[in-house]
Amino acid sequence: MQPRVKKVWQQVDGVLLLDKSLGMSSNDALQKARRLFSAAKGGHTGTLDPLATGLLPLCFGEATKFSADLLDADKTYEAELRLGVVTDSGDAEGAVLSTSTVDVRESDILPVLQALTGNILQVPPMHSALKRDGRPLYELARQGIVVEREARPVTIHAIELHEFAGDHLRISVSCSKGTYIRVLAMDIGAALGCGAHLTALRRTRVGDLVLDGALTLAAIEAIEEAARPASLQPVDALLQSLPRVDLDGEAESRFSHGNPVDLPAGLAGKIRVYAGGRLLGVGEPGAGGRLWPKRLVQLAA
């Protein structure tokens, strides 16, 4: 028997646009990707259910410092619904609770989609990772326990109808963080009077990151190991929505010695700061529009 070779982990910095496959948890996808890149440190930017496929941005090394910024980002999904069948989980993995005849026309659907667009309230499903007294709700649901959940505000920016045939509905949804597409599917079914559940879900956008060009784990595995880092996006791929400030000359010198710099007027909130074309980090201006180095989440030199 050959001796087991110990895995050598490396400092790998960058963002992987992963096209997650069906049935895989986000954490399983992360750990398999980490091994493929031998990345010593990694994290994801918010979970994608095993039922869902599509864009799962993974952060390695220095990029993990900014992964939380994508948790608040808007998302876009392509969703498929089956009308006339209600399940206890709101998706195809749940037990069927009821069935009904589907007597729906496209002219019935469009007003419903319009009514559910904008700022709405959603009651989180029992089959979710939200916790009650330290326990995920899905654990309680598996035991047949249902607890009251408070409705939460979310924003549905747009819903587009792409296909309708019989009991099959395909839509795309652009929404805020915290939106449950399975709950939206149930709400659509309830408004149509026939019930519905989610049968397929694919995420196509997270913030400014899109599915185009994302790689599956199988595609990454097919790349020679030494060439795999070239498939990563730079660290600042996560930060494209933030205003950019470039320091040079005296400002760069002052900042590198721990002194504040004056920023252009009108900047508010988080900004990304560069010097010599290299990302230094992300910070937030203080009083008077000045940025102190101590207020910067910095990359390692």
Side-chain angles (χ1 to χ4, degrees), residues 9-49:
W9 300 100
Q10 304 172 9
Q11 178 67 32
V12 177
D13 301 313
V15 179
L16 172 65
L17 301 184
L18 180 70
D19 185 351
K20 188 187 80 66
S21 60
L22 184 67
M24 179 177 292
S25 74
S26 294
N27 188 59
D28 283 345
L30 169 63
Q31 298 311 323
K32 289 180 180 180
R34 275 190 63 213
R35 292 194 68 84
L36 288 174
F37 285 89
S38 301
K41 185 178 182 181
H44 55 65
T45 57
T47 59
L48 192 58
D49 287 347

Side-chain angles (χ1 to χ4, degrees), residues 178-200:
T179 301
Y180 288 95
I181 305 299
R182 77 179 83 172
V183 173
L184 183 64
M186 291 189 288
D187 289 344
I188 291 171
L192 292 171
C194 60
H197 69 275
L198 186 69
T199 57

